[in-house]
Amino acid sequence: MSTDEQGYALITGGSQGIGAAIALELARKGFGVIVTARSEAALQAVRTQAAALNGGRAHALVVDLLEPDGPDRVLRSIRELRVPLTCLVNNAGHAHWGLFGEEPMTEHRKLMRLNMDVPVQLTHALLPELKKAKRAYILNTSSMTAFHALASMALYAASKAFILRWSRSLRIELKGTSVSVTAVCPGAVITGFTARAGMQAMDDLAKKFGTPPEPVAKSAVAAMLKGAPEVVPGILNKLTRVFQGLMPMSVNEGAASGIYLKRLPRRKASS
């Protein structure tokens, strides 16, 4: 398949971490890339790197998807670019750490908006365009937390479970069309996630068990191009998933929640 046939991929949250790594991996595979995020300097750096990999077929859209008109601005820009869109990567996300009842509703709204509403809105709007392509892909970033409840990250885990179930359902609905849907469910990834989510107390575990975003991106893109329904990147995460399947859900949820609750700062746990 030539680079022209690959078309363009829109990657949300493309300025850093998994999103940036996926954008660069897609550029290596011959896709044009359109990265969007609110961090202009980091976004332009990714655009420049992607352009060097795919012959200059890279664009950056500086948009805050949490703004009421954020997704609509992205959609308008896509139409104005007049490029063949063949891939949508719903990667932008938000997380915060704390007991559900103690965290402000503003944080809950941000998480639900960015993790669920925005992917649904963009996918619904862009699906007709994707269906026009001979081959098209939707790649949704879920998480290992999608497989179990997680106290102190209740809404985050729930939002990732939503992404996984929605991806599976959408995949079935799109059977027989040119569009395949893949969900990637990474474990801990070394991306600065803990700092952004206020989870510095988990840094040692993230560094010990986490992986860089590049291998996650390679696994995600490879699974997407194969048309796989979902992928859990990394041997350790795959083994964890196997063991989870052998244990009662209550054991899995109690063990995972216990780790997070034990490290939750006292001011958050008891405020």
Coordinates of all heavy atoms in Angstrom, one line a residue, residues 15-93:
S15 N 0.3 15.2 21.7 CA 1.5 16.0 22.0 C 2.6 15.3 22.9 O 3.7 15.7 23.0 CB 1.1 17.3 22.7 OG 0.5 17.1 24.0
Q16 N 2.2 14.2 23.5 CA 3.1 13.5 24.4 C 2.6 12.1 24.7 O 1.5 11.7 24.3 CB 3.2 14.3 25.8 CG 1.8 14.4 26.5 CD 1.9 15.2 27.8 OE1 2.9 15.2 28.4 NE2 0.8 15.9 28.1
G17 N 3.5 11.3 25.4 CA 3.1 10.0 25.8 C 2.7 9.1 24.7 O 3.2 9.0 23.6
I18 N 1.7 8.3 25.0 CA 1.2 7.3 24.0 C 0.7 7.9 22.7 O 1.0 7.4 21.7 CB 0.1 6.4 24.7 CG1 0.6 5.6 25.9 CG2 -0.5 5.5 23.6 CD1 -0.5 4.9 26.6
G19 N 0.0 9.0 22.8 CA -0.5 9.7 21.7 C 0.6 10.1 20.7 O 0.5 9.9 19.5
A20 N 1.6 10.7 21.2 CA 2.8 11.1 20.4 C 3.4 9.9 19.8 O 3.8 9.9 18.6 CB 3.8 12.0 21.2
A21 N 3.6 8.9 20.6 CA 4.3 7.7 20.1 C 3.5 7.0 19.0 O 4.0 6.5 18.0 CB 4.5 6.7 21.2
I22 N 2.1 7.0 19.1 CA 1.3 6.4 18.1 C 1.4 7.3 16.8 O 1.4 6.7 15.7 CB -0.2 6.3 18.6 CG1 -0.3 5.2 19.6 CG2 -1.1 6.1 17.4 CD1 -1.7 5.1 20.3
A23 N 1.4 8.6 17.0 CA 1.5 9.4 15.8 C 2.7 9.2 15.0 O 2.7 9.1 13.8 CB 1.4 10.9 16.2
L24 N 3.8 9.0 15.7 CA 5.1 8.8 15.0 C 5.2 7.4 14.4 O 5.7 7.2 13.3 CB 6.3 8.9 16.0 CG 6.4 10.4 16.6 CD1 7.6 10.4 17.5 CD2 6.6 11.4 15.5
E25 N 4.6 6.4 15.1 CA 4.5 5.0 14.6 C 3.6 5.0 13.3 O 4.0 4.3 12.3 CB 4.0 4.1 15.6 CG 3.9 2.6 15.2 CD 5.3 2.0 14.9 OE1 6.3 2.6 15.4 OE2 5.4 0.9 14.3
L26 N 2.5 5.7 13.3 CA 1.7 5.8 12.1 C 2.4 6.5 11.0 O 2.3 6.1 9.8 CB 0.4 6.5 12.4 CG -0.6 5.7 13.3 CD1 -1.8 6.6 13.7 CD2 -1.2 4.5 12.5
A27 N 3.2 7.5 11.3 CA 4.0 8.2 10.3 C 5.0 7.2 9.7 O 5.2 7.3 8.4 CB 4.7 9.4 10.9
R28 N 5.6 6.4 10.5 CA 6.5 5.4 10.0 C 5.9 4.4 9.0 O 6.5 3.9 8.1 CB 7.2 4.6 11.1 CG 8.2 5.4 11.9 CD 8.9 4.6 13.0 NE 9.6 5.4 13.9 CZ 9.2 5.8 15.1 NH1 8.0 5.4 15.5 NH2 9.9 6.5 15.9
K29 N 4.6 4.2 9.3 CA 3.8 3.2 8.5 C 3.3 3.9 7.2 O 2.6 3.2 6.4 CB 2.7 2.6 9.3 CG 3.1 1.8 10.5 CD 3.8 0.5 10.1 CE 4.2 -0.3 11.3 NZ 4.9 -1.5 10.9
G30 N 3.6 5.1 7.0 CA 3.1 5.8 5.8 C 1.9 6.6 5.9 O 1.4 7.2 4.9
F31 N 1.3 6.7 7.1 CA 0.1 7.6 7.2 C 0.5 9.0 7.3 O 1.5 9.4 7.9 CB -0.6 7.2 8.5 CG -1.4 6.0 8.5 CD1 -0.9 4.7 8.7 CD2 -2.8 6.0 8.2 CE1 -1.6 3.6 8.7 CE2 -3.6 4.8 8.2 CZ -3.0 3.6 8.4
G32 N -0.3 9.9 6.7 CA -0.2 11.3 7.1 C -0.8 11.4 8.5 O -1.7 10.6 8.9
V33 N -0.3 12.4 9.3 CA -0.9 12.5 10.6 C -1.4 13.9 10.9 O -0.8 14.9 10.5 CB 0.2 12.1 11.7 CG1 0.6 10.6 11.5 CG2 1.4 13.0 11.7
I34 N -2.4 14.0 11.7 CA -3.0 15.2 12.2 C -3.0 15.0 13.7 O -3.8 14.3 14.2 CB -4.4 15.5 11.7 CG1 -4.4 15.4 10.1 CG2 -4.9 16.8 12.1 CD1 -5.8 15.3 9.5
V35 N -2.2 15.7 14.4 CA -2.1 15.6 15.9 C -2.8 16.8 16.5 O -2.7 17.9 16.0 CB -0.7 15.5 16.4 CG1 -0.1 14.1 16.1 CG2 0.2 16.6 15.8
T36 N -3.6 16.5 17.5 CA -4.3 17.6 18.2 C -4.1 17.5 19.7 O -4.0 16.4 20.3 CB -5.8 17.7 17.9 OG1 -6.4 18.8 18.5 CG2 -6.5 16.4 18.3
A37 N -3.9 18.7 20.4 CA -3.7 18.8 21.8 C -3.7 20.3 22.1 O -3.8 21.1 21.2 CB -2.4 18.1 22.3
R38 N -3.6 20.6 23.4 CA -3.6 22.0 23.8 C -2.2 22.6 24.0 O -2.1 23.8 24.1 CB -4.5 22.2 25.0 CG -4.0 21.4 26.2 CD -4.9 21.6 27.4 NE -4.5 20.9 28.6 CZ -5.1 20.9 29.8 NH1 -6.2 21.6 29.9 NH2 -4.6 20.2 30.8
S39 N -1.2 21.7 24.0 CA 0.2 22.2 24.3 C 0.9 22.4 22.9 O 1.4 21.5 22.3 CB 0.9 21.1 25.1 OG 0.2 20.7 26.2
E40 N 0.9 23.7 22.6 CA 1.4 24.0 21.2 C 2.9 23.6 21.0 O 3.2 23.0 19.9 CB 1.3 25.5 20.9 CG 1.7 25.9 19.5 CD 1.3 27.3 19.2 OE1 0.8 28.1 20.1 OE2 1.4 27.7 18.0
A41 N 3.8 23.9 21.9 CA 5.2 23.7 21.6 C 5.4 22.2 21.5 O 6.1 21.7 20.5 CB 6.0 24.2 22.8
A42 N 4.9 21.4 22.4 CA 5.0 19.9 22.3 C 4.4 19.4 21.1 O 4.9 18.4 20.4 CB 4.5 19.3 23.6
L43 N 3.2 19.9 20.7 CA 2.5 19.4 19.5 C 3.3 19.7 18.3 O 3.4 18.8 17.4 CB 1.1 20.1 19.5 CG 0.1 19.5 18.6 CD1 -0.3 18.1 19.1 CD2 -1.2 20.4 18.5
Q44 N 3.9 20.9 18.2 CA 4.7 21.2 17.0 C 5.9 20.3 16.9 O 6.3 20.0 15.8 CB 5.0 22.7 17.0 CG 3.9 23.6 16.8 CD 3.2 23.5 15.5 OE1 3.7 22.9 14.5 NE2 2.1 24.2 15.3
A45 N 6.5 20.0 18.0 CA 7.6 19.1 18.0 C 7.3 17.7 17.4 O 8.0 17.1 16.6 CB 8.2 18.9 19.4
V46 N 6.1 17.2 17.8 CA 5.7 15.9 17.3 C 5.4 16.0 15.8 O 5.7 15.2 15.0 CB 4.4 15.4 18.1 CG1 3.8 14.2 17.4 CG2 4.7 15.1 19.5
R47 N 4.7 17.1 15.4 CA 4.4 17.3 14.0 C 5.7 17.3 13.2 O 5.8 16.7 12.1 CB 3.7 18.7 13.8 CG 3.2 18.9 12.3 CD 3.0 20.4 12.0 NE 4.3 21.1 12.1 CZ 5.2 21.1 11.2 NH1 5.1 20.4 10.1 NH2 6.3 21.8 11.3
T48 N 6.7 18.0 13.7 CA 8.0 18.1 13.0 C 8.6 16.7 12.8 O 9.1 16.3 11.7 CB 9.0 19.0 13.7 OG1 8.4 20.3 13.7 CG2 10.3 19.1 13.0
Q49 N 8.6 15.9 13.9 CA 9.2 14.6 13.8 C 8.4 13.7 12.9 O 9.0 12.9 12.1 CB 9.1 13.9 15.2 CG 10.1 14.6 16.2 CD 9.9 14.0 17.6 OE1 10.2 12.8 17.8 NE2 9.4 14.8 18.6
A50 N 7.1 13.8 12.9 CA 6.2 13.0 12.0 C 6.5 13.4 10.6 O 6.6 12.5 9.7 CB 4.8 13.2 12.4
A51 N 6.6 14.7 10.3 CA 6.9 15.1 8.9 C 8.2 14.6 8.4 O 8.3 14.3 7.2 CB 6.9 16.6 8.9
A52 N 9.1 14.4 9.2 CA 10.4 13.9 8.8 C 10.3 12.4 8.5 O 11.2 11.8 7.7 CB 11.5 14.1 9.9
L53 N 9.3 11.7 9.0 CA 9.1 10.3 8.8 C 8.3 10.0 7.6 O 8.4 8.9 7.0 CB 8.5 9.6 10.0 CG 9.4 9.6 11.3 CD1 8.6 9.2 12.5 CD2 10.6 8.7 11.1
N54 N 7.3 10.9 7.2 CA 6.4 10.5 6.2 C 6.4 11.5 5.0 O 5.3 11.6 4.3 CB 5.0 10.4 6.8 CG 4.4 11.7 7.3 OD1 5.0 12.7 7.1 ND2 3.3 11.6 7.9
G55 N 7.4 12.2 4.8 CA 7.5 13.1 3.7 C 6.8 14.4 3.8 O 6.3 15.0 2.8
G56 N 6.6 14.9 5.0 CA 6.0 16.2 5.3 C 4.5 16.1 5.4 O 3.8 17.2 5.5
R57 N 3.9 15.0 5.5 CA 2.4 14.9 5.6 C 2.0 14.9 7.0 O 1.5 13.9 7.6 CB 1.9 13.6 4.9 CG 2.3 13.6 3.4 CD 2.2 12.2 2.8 NE 0.8 11.8 2.7 CZ 0.3 10.7 3.2 NH1 1.1 9.9 3.9 NH2 -0.9 10.3 3.1
A58 N 2.1 16.1 7.7 CA 1.8 16.2 9.1 C 1.2 17.6 9.4 O 1.7 18.6 8.9 CB 3.1 15.9 9.9
H59 N 0.2 17.6 10.2 CA -0.4 18.8 10.6 C -0.7 18.8 12.1 O -0.8 17.7 12.7 CB -1.8 19.0 9.9 CG -1.7 19.0 8.4 ND1 -1.5 20.1 7.7 CD2 -1.8 17.9 7.6 CE1 -1.5 19.7 6.4 NE2 -1.7 18.4 6.3
A60 N -0.7 20.0 12.7 CA -0.9 20.1 14.2 C -2.1 21.1 14.4 O -2.2 22.1 13.8 CB 0.3 20.7 14.9
L61 N -3.0 20.6 15.2 CA -4.2 21.4 15.6 C -4.1 21.7 17.1 O -4.3 20.8 17.9 CB -5.5 20.7 15.2 CG -5.7 20.2 13.8 CD1 -7.0 19.4 13.6 CD2 -5.6 21.4 12.8
V62 N -3.9 22.9 17.4 CA -3.8 23.3 18.8 C -5.3 23.6 19.3 O -5.8 24.7 19.0 CB -2.9 24.5 19.1 CG1 -2.8 24.9 20.5 CG2 -1.5 24.3 18.5
V63 N -5.8 22.6 20.0 CA -7.2 22.7 20.5 C -7.3 22.1 21.9 O -6.8 21.0 22.1 CB -8.2 22.0 19.5 CG1 -9.6 22.0 20.1 CG2 -8.1 22.6 18.1
D64 N -8.1 22.8 22.7 CA -8.4 22.2 24.0 C -9.7 21.5 23.9 O -10.8 22.1 23.8 CB -8.5 23.3 25.1 CG -8.7 22.7 26.5 OD1 -9.0 21.5 26.6 OD2 -8.6 23.5 27.5
L65 N -9.7 20.2 23.9 CA -10.9 19.4 23.7 C -11.9 19.5 24.9 O -13.1 19.1 24.7 CB -10.6 17.9 23.4 CG -10.0 17.7 22.1 CD1 -9.5 16.2 22.0 CD2 -10.9 17.9 20.9
L66 N -11.5 20.1 26.0 CA -12.4 20.3 27.1 C -13.2 21.6 26.9 O -14.3 21.7 27.6 CB -11.6 20.4 28.4 CG -11.1 19.1 29.0 CD1 -10.2 19.3 30.2 CD2 -12.3 18.2 29.4
E67 N -12.8 22.4 26.0 CA -13.6 23.6 25.7 C -14.9 23.2 25.0 O -14.9 22.2 24.2 CB -12.9 24.6 24.8 CG -11.7 25.2 25.4 CD -12.1 26.2 26.5 OE1 -13.1 26.8 26.4 OE2 -11.3 26.3 27.5
P68 N -16.0 23.9 25.2 CA -17.3 23.4 24.6 C -17.3 23.3 23.1 O -17.9 22.4 22.6 CB -18.3 24.6 25.0 CG -17.7 25.1 26.3 CD -16.2 25.0 26.1
D69 N -16.5 24.1 22.4 CA -16.4 24.0 21.0 C -15.2 23.3 20.5 O -14.9 23.3 19.3 CB -16.5 25.4 20.3 CG -15.2 26.2 20.7 OD1 -14.5 25.9 21.7 OD2 -15.0 27.2 19.9
G70 N -14.4 22.7 21.4 CA -13.2 22.0 21.1 C -13.3 20.9 20.0 O -12.7 21.0 18.9
P71 N -14.2 19.9 20.2 CA -14.4 18.9 19.1 C -14.8 19.5 17.8 O -14.4 19.1 16.7 CB -15.4 18.0 19.7 CG -15.2 18.1 21.2 CD -14.9 19.6 21.4
D72 N -15.7 20.5 17.8 CA -16.2 21.1 16.6 C -15.1 21.8 15.9 O -15.1 21.8 14.6 CB -17.4 22.1 16.9 CG -18.7 21.4 17.2 OD1 -18.8 20.2 16.8 OD2 -19.5 22.0 18.0
R73 N -14.2 22.5 16.6 CA -13.1 23.1 16.0 C -12.2 22.1 15.3 O -11.7 22.4 14.2 CB -12.3 23.9 17.0 CG -13.0 25.2 17.5 CD -12.2 25.8 18.7 NE -10.8 26.1 18.3 CZ -9.8 26.4 19.1 NH1 -10.1 26.3 20.4 NH2 -8.6 26.7 18.7
V74 N -12.0 21.0 15.9 CA -11.2 19.9 15.2 C -11.9 19.4 14.0 O -11.2 19.3 12.9 CB -11.0 18.7 16.2 CG1 -10.4 17.5 15.5 CG2 -10.1 19.1 17.4
L75 N -13.1 19.2 14.0 CA -13.9 18.7 12.9 C -13.9 19.8 11.7 O -13.7 19.4 10.6 CB -15.3 18.4 13.3 CG -15.5 17.3 14.3 CD1 -16.9 17.2 14.8 CD2 -15.1 16.0 13.6
R76 N -14.0 21.0 12.1 CA -13.9 22.1 11.0 C -12.5 22.1 10.4 O -12.4 22.2 9.1 CB -14.2 23.5 11.6 CG -15.7 23.7 11.9 CD -15.9 25.2 12.1 NE -15.2 25.8 13.2 CZ -15.6 25.8 14.4 NH1 -16.8 25.3 14.7 NH2 -14.9 26.4 15.4
S77 N -11.5 21.9 11.2 CA -10.1 21.9 10.6 C -9.9 20.7 9.7 O -9.2 20.9 8.7 CB -9.1 21.9 11.8 OG -9.2 23.1 12.6
I78 N -10.4 19.6 10.1 CA -10.3 18.4 9.3 C -10.9 18.6 7.9 O -10.4 18.3 6.8 CB -11.0 17.2 9.9 CG1 -10.2 16.8 11.2 CG2 -11.0 16.0 9.0 CD1 -8.8 16.3 11.0
R79 N -12.1 19.2 7.9 CA -12.8 19.5 6.6 C -12.0 20.5 5.8 O -11.9 20.4 4.6 CB -14.2 20.0 6.9 CG -15.2 19.0 7.4 CD -16.6 19.5 7.3 NE -16.9 20.5 8.3 CZ -17.3 20.3 9.6 NH1 -17.5 19.0 10.0 NH2 -17.5 21.3 10.4
E80 N -11.4 21.5 6.5 CA -10.7 22.6 5.8 C -9.4 22.0 5.2 O -8.9 22.5 4.1 CB -10.3 23.7 6.7 CG -11.6 24.5 7.1 CD -11.3 25.5 8.2 OE1 -10.2 25.5 8.7 OE2 -12.3 26.2 8.6
L81 N -8.8 21.0 5.8 CA -7.5 20.4 5.3 C -7.8 19.6 4.0 O -6.9 19.4 3.2 CB -6.9 19.5 6.3 CG -6.2 20.2 7.5 CD1 -5.8 19.1 8.6 CD2 -5.0 20.9 7.1
R82 N -9.0 19.1 3.8 CA -9.3 18.3 2.6 C -8.4 17.2 2.4 O -7.9 17.0 1.3 CB -9.4 19.3 1.4 CG -10.5 20.3 1.5 CD -10.5 21.2 0.3 NE -11.6 22.2 0.3 CZ -12.8 22.0 0.0 NH1 -13.2 20.8 -0.4 NH2 -13.7 23.0 0.2
V83 N -8.1 16.4 3.4 CA -7.3 15.2 3.3 C -8.1 14.0 3.5 O -9.1 14.0 4.2 CB -6.1 15.3 4.3 CG1 -5.2 16.4 4.0 CG2 -6.6 15.3 5.7
P84 N -7.7 12.9 2.8 CA -8.5 11.6 3.0 C -8.2 11.0 4.4 O -7.1 10.5 4.7 CB -7.9 10.7 1.9 CG -6.5 11.2 1.7 CD -6.6 12.7 1.9
L85 N -9.2 11.0 5.2 CA -9.1 10.5 6.6 C -9.4 9.0 6.6 O -10.5 8.6 6.2 CB -10.0 11.2 7.5 CG -9.8 10.9 9.0 CD1 -8.5 11.6 9.5 CD2 -11.0 11.4 9.9
T86 N -8.4 8.2 7.0 CA -8.6 6.8 7.1 C -8.3 6.2 8.5 O -8.5 5.0 8.6 CB -7.6 6.1 6.1 OG1 -6.2 6.4 6.4 CG2 -7.9 6.5 4.7
C87 N -8.0 7.0 9.4 CA -7.7 6.5 10.8 C -8.1 7.5 11.8 O -7.7 8.7 11.7 CB -6.3 6.1 10.9 SG -5.7 5.5 12.5
L88 N -8.7 7.1 12.9 CA -9.0 8.0 14.0 C -8.5 7.3 15.3 O -8.8 6.2 15.6 CB -10.6 8.2 14.1 CG -11.0 8.9 15.4 CD1 -10.5 10.3 15.6 CD2 -12.6 8.9 15.5
V89 N -7.7 8.0 16.0 CA -7.1 7.5 17.2 C -7.6 8.4 18.4 O -7.3 9.6 18.5 CB -5.6 7.6 17.2 CG1 -5.0 7.0 18.6 CG2 -5.0 6.8 16.1
N90 N -8.6 7.8 19.2 CA -9.1 8.5 20.3 C -8.2 8.2 21.5 O -8.4 7.2 22.2 CB -10.5 8.0 20.6 CG -11.5 8.5 19.5 OD1 -11.6 9.7 19.3 ND2 -12.2 7.5 18.9
N91 N -7.3 9.1 21.8 CA -6.3 8.9 22.8 C -6.3 9.9 24.0 O -5.9 9.6 25.1 CB -4.9 8.9 22.2 CG -3.8 8.8 23.3 OD1 -3.6 7.8 23.8 ND2 -3.2 10.0 23.5
A92 N -6.8 11.1 23.7 CA -6.8 12.1 24.8 C -7.6 11.6 26.0 O -8.6 11.0 25.9 CB -7.5 13.4 24.2
G93 N -7.1 11.9 27.2 CA -7.7 11.5 28.4 C -7.4 12.3 29.6 O -6.4 13.1 29.5

